[in-house]
Amino acid sequence: MEYSAGKYDVIVVGAGHAGCEAALAAARMNCNTLLLTLNLDNIALMPCNPSVGGPAKGHLVREIDALGGEMGINTDKTAIQVRTLNKGKGPAVHALRAQSDKKAYMTSMRRVLENEPRLDVKQAQVEKLLVEGWRIQGVVTTTGARFDALSVVVTTGTYLKGRVIIGSTTLTAGPNGQLAAMGLSQSLLDCGVELGRFKTGTPPRIHRDSVDFSKLAIQPGDAELPHFSFLPTYNPFLQGKAERQLPCWLGYTTRGSHSIIRENLYRAPLYSGIIEGTGPRYCPSIEDKVVRFAGKEGHQIFLEPEGWETKEMYVAGLSTSLPEDVQISMLRSIPGLENVEMLRAGYAIEYDYIKPYQLSLSLEVINIPGLFSAGQINGTSGYEEAAAQGLIAGINAALKARGRDPLILSRSDAYIGVLIDDLVTKGITEPYRILTSRAEYRLVLRQDNADLRLTELGREVGLVGDERYRKFAAKQRQIASVKETLSARVVSPAEVEFQALLREKESSELRGPMNLLDLLRRPELTFADLARFVPFSEVVTGEVAEQVEIQLKYEGYIEKQGAQIARFQKMERRRLPMDLDYELVAGLSTEGKQRLISVRPLNLGQASRISGVTPADISVLMVYLEQRRRGVQA
Amino acid sequence: MFVDTIAAVSTAMGEAGIGIVRVSGPEAIDIVRKVFRAKNPERFAKGLGYRLYYGQVVEPDSGSSIDEVLVSIMRGPNSFTGEDVVEINCHGGLIAQRDILALLLRLGAQLAEPGEFTKRAFLNGRLDLAQAEAVIDLIRAKTSLGASSALEQLRGRLSRETAACRNALLEVLAQIEAGIDFPEEDLDLDSSEVLTEKLRGILSRIQELLKGSKRGKILRDGLSTAIIGWPNVGKSSLLNAFLGEERAIVTDIPGTTRDVLEEYISIKGIPLKLIDTAGIRTTEDIVERLGVDRALQALEKADLVMFVVEAGRSLTSDEKKLLHGISQERLVIVVNKIDLDPDWRPPVDGPTFYVSALERRGINELEDGIIELASGKQSAESAVVSNIRHINSLEGSAAKVRDAVNSLRDKVPPDLVSIDVRAAWELLGEITGETVGEDLLHEIFSRFCIGK
């Protein structure tokens, strides 16, 4: 029996990384928001690796933070190790990665949710989406509670018809022993949403005390403690001290491990036909790696602590769905793990996802106004990808509830824009992971300037609070003033000390006067080198110095990319009316027409990225739009 | 509305007496300014529309003249396309039009798609609504045309070779990108030395293709053949003997031919662009000096050099020096005036023909010899690139690969090096019609074992 349980502006279904961001964003934008979860104890659960960030993923986290999201702050508060990857490469691909205390991450996020005004968090399983009159009306739970809402965001991750597989054992479940969401899949199908099936997996977990670390290589954190958020936070584990970080450990599988796997391949669900879903190529199971790269002597594994308090460790690189007994022998064939105790077995999980071409760039389901979806349900993988979508879906659900236009980030604004455009426009054939090589404007989409790119946008939608905004404005001001000071300070060949510095840095000595701004462009000179020759009126923060340095040293490249972006944006600005009937556009290719009808691009730029849409189709569309414009005028 | 400036030859190639190269777009006037030397620069500088300006199209780097032209400027929005339009009226014939077009493309114009001028005209409101369908027809006509030529290309050696270079670039790109996106994986990546080596290899393959493009050009534009020699050895007589008419002024006063004359003849189906040059010698006469300089330039550019010497006169040391400077594979020695001293032999090696231009003796044998050489060049084992768009892409790609090699040498971070490699790869994709996308990821995942 259904009963009316309440009315909200926005309802978010699922409290994983997408759901938390979506709910917080909507509530912070002054919408009365309800967050429903299958299990209140599993909010912001990390069912796979205990880490956040990495190349492109770390970029996403910084962008989420700049827009006023929570993931960066929550990671900073609960990290037990932090590193900057790719330091030897250009600044555009420097990437932060943190090991998180999983339990603390969840507790901390739950605390934030519970303390958020206008946000209710409840435990319930949503079984049905209410669609009436061509728009979403609300949701109904398995226990008959009906919640009405102006917008609904579905962020159910891998729970939709989840099926967990270990060897020949399969069970209907979500990740980590959770309930699967069975009814919602059917409800989506009933609403006309097309679903696909993906597979992903996770490795076994082991007991720290059963590991012989003398046979493994230590992987400590950085000597400094970099942070994701542009706002300061307090981390009770690290307490600001780098030496408190917990290390990870590196080891290798052996030929022995590979024979164990090969001998048991007939029992591997991946090869026996039990698994039907498509798995990600960037995250293959160990059995897959051994088969596909048979010549490789050893595969890397990383032992990562699951938390500060627990002795459980995650075995990265050993994702598997082999039978439990094989997993144990495989683990014990690894030097250092000869006597290891496995605490949880690795498993594969299959789940339904929404084919994302059905979404618009705002993450709204095109055919069901008011319904948004975000995260792994859209076919992505990764906490960061989920959170990024959750934030955008939450913002747009709130904007929709207020009757305002959606926030759409483009490929030249943010990795978030790349991610969503890839999903919606290009379509996917495997679980999608963000990569820096997917971003054509990588040089501009750096993690160091995420705030400069996005804080203003976050402010406009109402997510960036005063503290963040003040900090951002101050940083901008300081960057400008530092540049001014540097360009005003002219050094001459007569300055012996300066010439000595140049000699020491193997930089050519001055022959005439030159300002420091231009000198900083030299690759061999750093801001710190030059700073002592400048009378700065205020202390220059590391962030500002870094920004000035990058902007100057890479100016040529950045300008070139700027010109490419200008061209790109020209096409992005040519809007395509949502009511455009492509059937009526004479001259479109058959395939182009079909793809345009299913994707329904927002603008000509997006249309041009749809596979099957040719440049000639774009020309035809341009002519049609002009015809239509003049027709309307006439 | 459009950011690109487009250019194309807008008269039928080769047939008309006058050719028109049309440029349209925001940079049309600026681009043409870079190559047009007006007779009256002040007048042209004002750039008033609907006037004709007389002058030369010159190659901006070398300053050498390509053709004598009339240029007209039509400023948007009152032009045919609604944008700034420049039309260059040049001499008809393939060479001038192609050279001018190639120059404009090199300076940043994009080759117009068929129907693109008309499309712009329509989109910029210069054509009425009734013409919309005609515009769409034009656009569509292009694709069916493009499709069939794409098919042809697919069969061709060019696309195989291009695809091979592209794959090699993709491998390099995958090496770089895998290192960036998966820094913690144990990937066994190529060192920057190996990458440099690979890029150099790719560069020389692209250059090989471009050489092939020269061969394609021979079929299209003619084998450019310079007739070179000391004054009064009978170069112009030889040209006339080929042409069978008195075109070059032939006198016995040394230095009569004071400029470079170009003529086309077809020898057994192979077009020959004959370039008659002024006699080469040190001279005080400024006009003649200019002719000599141009002769030397023509010599450098020619596919084939007919070095004419006079029977019975021993070679001067300057003559010998010049002769030795010409690479063997494009050299033909023509001993003229053999009637004067039938037993004379030149003191140098190489394919040698004995003729009397005035008496038209030995000309047939010489023609056969030239054909043999020219067809030898044709049958070389490399792809033939004949399309100006392809040459453009190949040249662009080669330049990007060179940039990448330099960046590696200068220890530029890999994510910046990859910008050039990717651009080179995309440029080659313009030839094979493929675009970036999943290819790279596929390459990374099939090559490297990734999966932490």
Side-chain angles (χ1 to χ4, degrees), chain B residues 77-113:
Chain B
N78 298 318
S79 67
F80 165 60
T81 59
E83 306 173 320
D84 286 352
V85 171
V86 182
E87 289 187 348
I88 303 174
N89 293 259
C90 56
H91 289 108
L94 293 169
I95 315 296
Q97 295 177 30
R98 269 180 200 275
D99 287 357
I100 291 171
L101 181 58
L103 194 55
L104 297 172
L105 298 183
R106 226 175 69 205
L107 291 170
Q110 303 287 315
L111 192 58
E113 306 284 338

Side-chain angles (χ1 to χ4, degrees), chain A residues 462-478:
Chain A
L463 275 183
V464 167
D466 291 342
E467 185 197 358
R468 184 186 292 277
Y469 195 68
R470 259 198 311 275
K471 204 168 168 275
F472 159 74
K475 181 172 167 185
Q476 269 190 320
R477 202 179 47 243
Q478 220 190 1

Side-chain angles (χ1 to χ4, degrees), chain B residues 96-390:
Chain B
Q97 295 177 30
R98 269 180 200 275
D99 287 357
I100 291 171
L101 181 58
L103 194 55
L104 297 172
L105 298 183
R106 226 175 69 205
L107 291 170
Q110 303 287 315
L111 192 58
E113 306 284 338
E116 201 172 353
F117 289 103
T118 318
K119 182 182 98 186
R120 290 192 175 196
F122 177 76
L123 293 179
N124 289 326
R126 301 295 295 168
L127 293 178
D128 68 44
L129 215 44
Q131 284 158 292
E133 265 176 48
V135 178
I136 289 172
D137 285 349
L138 265 174
I139 294 167
R140 294 262 58 122
K142 178 215 101 186
T143 33
S144 47
L145 201 84
S148 71
S149 77
L151 266 179
E152 267 170 52
Q153 289 288 352
L154 264 182
R155 291 187 203 106
R157 197 180 275 151
L158 166 68
S159 59
R160 279 204 302 277
E161 255 309 293
T162 310
C165 288
R166 222 173 157 254
N167 278 338
L169 281 171
L170 188 61
E171 270 181 44
V172 172
L173 198 54
Q175 291 281 343
I176 300 174
E177 293 293 323
I180 292 169
D181 269 320
F182 304 99
E184 291 186 294
E185 304 270 357
D186 151 39
L187 293 181
D188 198 16
L189 294 171
D190 287 346
S191 67
S192 114
E193 288 72 29
V194 174
L195 291 180
T196 304
E197 202 56 37
K198 285 186 176 170
L199 286 172
R200 286 224 175 92
I202 295 165
L203 183 59
S204 65
R205 287 175 80 172
I206 298 175
Q207 280 163 342
E208 203 53 45
L209 275 172
L210 276 167
K211 268 196 222 155
S213 86
K214 285 232 170 92
R215 295 192 183 94
K217 206 167 158 258
I218 290 171
L219 267 187
R220 203 183 59 232
D221 295 347
L223 180 79
S224 82
T225 310
I227 307 179
I228 289 268
W230 244 233
N232 217 25
V233 294
K235 299 176 300 296
S236 299
S237 312
L238 187 61
L239 176 65
N240 288 339
F242 280 124
L243 292 169
E245 56 178 314
E246 296 267 318
R247 280 290 282 276
I249 309 153
V250 188
T251 70
D252 52 4
I253 310 160
T256 318
T257 308
R258 292 195 167 169
D259 210 333
V260 177
L261 287 182
E262 290 185 6
E263 282 301 342
Y264 292 86
I265 54 168
S266 165
I267 303 176
K268 295 172 179 134
I270 292 201
L272 224 64
K273 179 170 94 168
L274 286 180
I275 308 155
D276 182 20
T277 62
I280 292 169
R281 61 165 187 179
T282 31
T283 174
E284 299 300 316
D285 181 342
I286 296 172
V287 180
E288 194 184 332
R289 180 70 241 160
L290 284 174
V292 171
D293 287 347
R294 291 200 186 169
L296 291 173
Q297 278 173 20
L299 171 68
E300 264 165 42
K301 279 197 254 165
D303 301 313
L304 196 70
V305 178
M306 268 192 258
F307 199 98
V308 187
V309 296
E310 200 176 347
R313 178 176 66 75
S314 52
L315 301 188
T316 66
S317 62
D318 281 350
E319 242 172 331
K320 284 186 193 157
K321 210 158 83 192
L322 187 62
L323 197 49
H324 285 299
I326 302 165
S327 55
Q328 280 286 326
E329 65 265 26
R330 52 182 197 132
L331 175 66
V332 175
I333 301 161
V334 181
V335 179
N336 192 18
K337 307 186 189 174
I338 195 66
D339 47 321
L340 298 182
D341 190 349
D343 298 322
W344 191 83
R345 294 292 173 265
V348 277
D349 292 333
T352 308
F353 297 89
Y354 300 89
V355 303
S356 167
L358 277 180
E359 293 179 20
R360 308 185 62 84
R361 265 166 56 192
I363 299 297
N364 253 335
E365 290 78 1
L366 176 57
E367 285 184 354
D368 285 347
I370 290 169
I371 293 307
E372 203 172 299
L373 268 167
S375 46
K377 284 172 185 282
Q378 282 299 321
S379 64
E381 279 297 303
S382 79
V384 174
V385 187
S386 60
N387 181 316
I388 199 164
R389 191 192 298 271
H390 296 167

